[in-house]
Amino acid sequence: KPFWLKALKVVCSGPSAVAPPRALLGADGRLAGGRQVCVVWLCMSTFIDRLVFPAPTPTYSRETFKKHLCWIPWNEAVSPDRMDDERFAEGIPCLWLPAPRAAGVILFCHGNAEDLGMCFPFVKHMRDQFKMNVLAVEYPGYGLLHGVSVCEAALKEVALTAFRFILDDLKVAYEQIILFGRSVGSGPTVYLASRFPVGGLILVAAFASVREAAKSLVGGIIANVLDERFPNISLIGNVSCPTLFIHGEKDSLVPPSHSVALFKNSRARKLLITPPGMEHNTNLFTDAQFLAVPAINFFGLPGYQQECPPQMPARFFEDGRQQFLLRKSSRRRSTLRRDAGGGGATESNPWFFLCGCPTSRAKQREGNVMEPRRDSTVEARLEALLADENKGDPSSAARDVAATAARTQVGEKSTGLDSPRTWTAWRDVQEFGEEEINHKLTLA
């Protein structure tokens, strides 16, 4: 049997095998008819995920990088289902390597066969070489990030969470962020660069798409059946930031033609470097011509410096579970306080009634339990008009009420537009005018 079929059998029978959904099972509990095809397709999908994301045995622990290992919390807007789940209380493990006075940050997404422990020497050298802060994010199923299945959506989720963390918590501007993706890391970085106006993008050994890369591994027929993952070739045209492509000519895993295709489809300022002696996993700092010289000249590194560079708060180096409990308690108190306060700022603002919208006034009346206070002078005139409701037509009655209220307010000493008495009288006149018109039209 071919290699991919043997591996597929292992995937479908291993500890992480895909269980057949109940909809695919017959009355006897076995797969019914053509439903076997669906299960085979699911197993193939899992098989490809395990090929694309071969997570190694964790090479670091909590005590390995005490000064650099931090835990970024899940973002409520990106991962609402994980915010209150204690299984994800620790957050996302990342490496933070600060550079003195550096204003910019490089967000690094590593390759598929390494974790943060294996790429630490590289990101440390990159920090020292480029004089920029570096934040390296871990992938689901890699290193210390457990409990999350590895797939395309999960990688995008953690990358977007780290990106939002740089913007919201570290207070770094878009143009001061450079995205760096190597191999499979090119997928989430191209995804972010196509959506946000970042300062730059570095792609090393990038692929046009996982399907195109799989053709050289399992053949074109099988690759075409699989779902597409990381379609970089269709997103690169939306990238507007300067982009540096680096791909070794001796790369046998992902042919350099992938970077050439991405380079041709890019519409931003771009540069393609194809070192003759570079392979897929070659150390980029063994030769300055691989990465250091092209990146420094193309982006003008080290870039801007400032007296108050981005600082990682100390709480993110501590146990993420404790921070999770504190955030959960704070959200609970905020919810209770909001429920106890009731009402909204819109309803308490007198300018809310200037629009004259009947729906808005109806909502205001439904929200109030007690009747609003009414001006005595206006009440007397309204009662007199109700007693003589058969005289005059509806439109004239409404105009008379409005004119009477206007004369009354002009004669009195008003305390200004912010006076509750003035706004109460004006609102009551408007409501009565509408009710009177409807009543007269019904009688007619």
Side-chain angles (χ1 to χ4, degrees):
K1 297 181 181 180
F3 165 76
W4 66 267
L5 190 57
K6 294 180 181 179
L8 175 61
K9 184 177 180 180
V10 174
V11 171
C12 295
S13 59
S16 59
V18 177
R22 290 186 177 181
L24 301 178
L25 300 178
D28 56 351
R30 298 181 179 180
L31 293 174
R35 298 173 184 174
Q36 296 179 359
V37 178
C38 298
V39 175
V40 172
W41 179 84
L42 289 174
C43 292
M44 279 297 299
S45 180
T46 304
F47 167 63
I48 293 299
D49 280 338
R50 293 182 63 175
L51 278 181
V52 177
F53 312 110
T57 303
T59 60
Y60 65 101
S61 64
R62 298 177 181 273
E63 306 299 326
T64 306
F65 311 109
K66 286 187 176 181
K67 295 182 179 180
H68 304 288
L69 183 62
C70 59
W71 301 84
I72 292 178
W74 298 94
N75 191 288
E76 186 174 4
V78 179
S79 311
D81 297 336
R82 307 190 196 277
M83 290 298 298
D84 297 326
D85 195 336
E86 196 169 354
R87 294 177 301 173
F88 312 108
E90 294 181 342
I92 304 173
C94 297
L95 289 178
W96 170 250
L97 291 88
R101 301 182 59 186
V105 175
I106 297 177
L107 177 59
F108 178 74
C109 296
H110 59 73
N112 63 341
E114 59 183 356
D115 60 5
L116 291 181
M118 300 173 66
C119 67
F120 176 77
F122 174 78
V123 294
K124 184 176 182 297
H125 197 167
M126 182 168 56
R127 186 272 311 267
D128 299 336
Q129 189 77 41
F130 296 155
K131 308 299 181 185
M132 291 187 65
N133 304 298
V134 179
L135 180 67
V137 60
E138 189 61 286
Y139 296 159
Y142 287 68
L144 300 181
L145 184 52
H146 308 294
V148 184
S149 300
V150 57
C151 60
E152 177 190 10
L155 259 68
K156 290 181 179 179
E157 183 179 358
V158 296
L160 181 57
T161 301
F163 182 76
R164 290 287 300 268
F165 179 84
I166 296 175
L167 293 172
D168 301 336
D169 293 85
L170 300 184
K171 309 299 182 183
V172 179
Y174 284 102
E175 59 273 12
Q176 296 296 331
I177 301 177
I178 295 180
L179 303 176
F180 192 124
R182 180 167 188 171
S183 185
V184 76
S186 63
T189 52
V190 171
Y191 167 75
L192 293 176
S194 64
R195 300 182 61 188
F196 302 99
V198 296
L201 175 63
I202 302 176
L203 298 178
V204 177
F207 47 76
S209 69
V210 172
R211 178 183 293 173
E212 293 296 325
K215 288 182 179 180
S216 60
L217 300 177
V218 297
I221 298 177
I222 299 176
N224 290 331
V225 178
L226 303 176
D227 286 341
E228 184 61 283
R229 293 170 177 82
F230 297 123
N232 295 338
I233 193 67
S234 61
L235 296 178
I236 195 66
N238 297 330
V239 176
S240 59
C241 64
T243 306
L244 174 62
F245 299 89
I246 301 176
H247 210 129
E249 292 185 359
K250 290 187 177 182
D251 192 335
S252 59
L253 185 60
V254 180
S257 59
H258 287 249
S259 289
V260 174
L262 293 173
F263 178 80
K264 290 181 179 179
N265 284 270
S266 175
R267 296 184 293 181
R269 189 170 71 90
K270 53 190 176 181
L271 176 64
L272 174 62
I273 303 295
T274 56
M278 178 180 166
E279 299 179 356
H280 188 78
N281 295 317
T282 299
N283 187 346
L284 296 175
F285 286 109
T286 56
D287 190 335
Q289 300 298 324
F290 289 171
L291 173 64
V293 173
I296 291 175
N297 294 333
F298 185 69
F299 294 105
L301 301 178
Y304 293 104
Q305 294 187 346
Q306 56 187 15
E307 295 296 333
C308 299
Q311 298 289 336
M312 179 69 69
R315 65 180 183 274
F316 295 114
F317 292 97
E318 302 172 357
D319 184 11
R321 190 171 300 275
Q322 182 179 0
Q323 297 297 325
F324 167 81
L325 296 176
L326 292 176
R327 291 193 303 270
K328 190 173 181 179
S329 177
S330 176
R331 288 196 301 271
R332 187 183 298 111
R333 288 196 301 268
S334 300
T335 302
L336 293 176
R337 191 181 303 112
R338 184 172 60 252
D339 294 342
T346 306
E347 295 180 354
S348 61
N349 187 358
W351 293 100
F352 178 70
F353 298 100
L354 280 180
C355 63
C357 178
T359 305
S360 302
R361 290 195 297 275
K363 290 181 179 179
Q364 175 72 7
R365 290 197 299 270
E366 292 173 3
N368 295 335
V369 179
M370 300 182 65
E371 289 291 331
R373 295 182 59 184
R374 299 177 178 270
D375 185 85
S376 58
T377 307
V378 177
E379 252 188 10
R381 297 186 180 274
L382 292 178
E383 290 176 358
L385 183 61
L386 285 173
D388 194 20
E389 61 178 351
N390 293 328
K391 297 181 180 180
D393 60 302
S395 58
S396 61
R399 288 195 299 270
D400 293 341
V401 173
T404 303
R407 288 195 299 270
T408 302
Q409 294 174 5
V410 171
E412 296 178 352
K413 291 183 178 180
S414 175
T415 57
L417 290 178
D418 294 332
S419 172
R421 180 178 179 182
T422 302
W423 286 109
T424 301
W426 186 89
R427 183 185 61 190
D428 292 340
V429 170
Q430 290 290 101
E431 294 174 355
F432 172 76
E434 291 180 358
E435 294 173 357
E436 180 65 13
I437 291 172
N438 294 335
H439 176 68
K440 291 294 185 179
L441 290 176
T442 302
L443 293 178

